[in-house]
Amino acid sequence: QVQLVESGGGLVQAGGSLRLSCAASGSTSSINTIGWFRQAPGKQRELVATVRSGYKTNYADSVKGRFTISRDNAQNTVHLQMNSLKPEDTAVYYCYAYVVRDYWGQGTQVTVSS
């Protein structure tokens, strides 16, 4: 079992920055892939960025060059630095981990005003 708790969401103006953090607990040594998804109102949940245990990263095309994911295995945390935010980045952001099955955090709201 893995528990995920997000923090760092909020309201920011377009062009601004936010940093999301996710603290993992439980069977953290078994986590292969960890990262972030998001879901905007009326849309399906979509990949934002993930990082594997070997630190290989994967980003959605829409956030490449603006968002950076980082993983700290010693602290069992994963961060998402979001720069040059756009109104279309507005969504609930969910921390995700894969250990035999998918695990999800409760989500944190990110709102970007124009």
Side-chain angles (χ1 to χ4, degrees):
Q1 294 285 340
V2 173
Q3 295 78 42
L4 304 169
V5 178
E6 304 99 334
S7 61
L11 173 65
V12 64
Q13 289 189 332
S17 299
L18 281 175
R19 179 178 167 89
L20 303 183
S21 297
C22 174
S25 60
S27 302
T28 56
S29 62
S30 300
I31 294 176
N32 181 348
T33 300
I34 191 166
W36 298 90
F37 283 67
R38 67 187 181 187
Q39 188 167 19
K43 295 188 176 181
Q44 290 189 332
R45 192 171 297 189
E46 62 178 7
L47 168 76
V48 177
T50 58
V51 55
R52 293 186 178 181
S53 56
Y55 295 94
K56 178 177 174 62
T57 57
N58 182 39
Y59 292 93
D61 288 342
S62 60
V63 307
K64 283 181 181 177
R66 299 188 298 123
F67 291 10
T68 302
I69 190 169
S70 59
R71 178 173 181 168
D72 184 341
N73 286 335
Q75 299 292 326
N76 295 320
T77 57
V78 62
H79 305 284
L80 185 69
Q81 179 65 43
M82 305 186 294
N83 298 328
S84 302
L85 282 161
K86 304 175 181 180
E88 51 263 44
D89 294 317
T90 295
V92 177
Y93 284 69
Y94 294 92
C95 185
Y96 161 86
Y98 179 77
V99 182
V100 181
R101 68 169 182 89
D102 297 335
Y103 289 89
W104 299 94
Q106 80 284 355
T108 186
Q109 177 71 45
V110 172
T111 303
V112 185
S113 62
S114 57

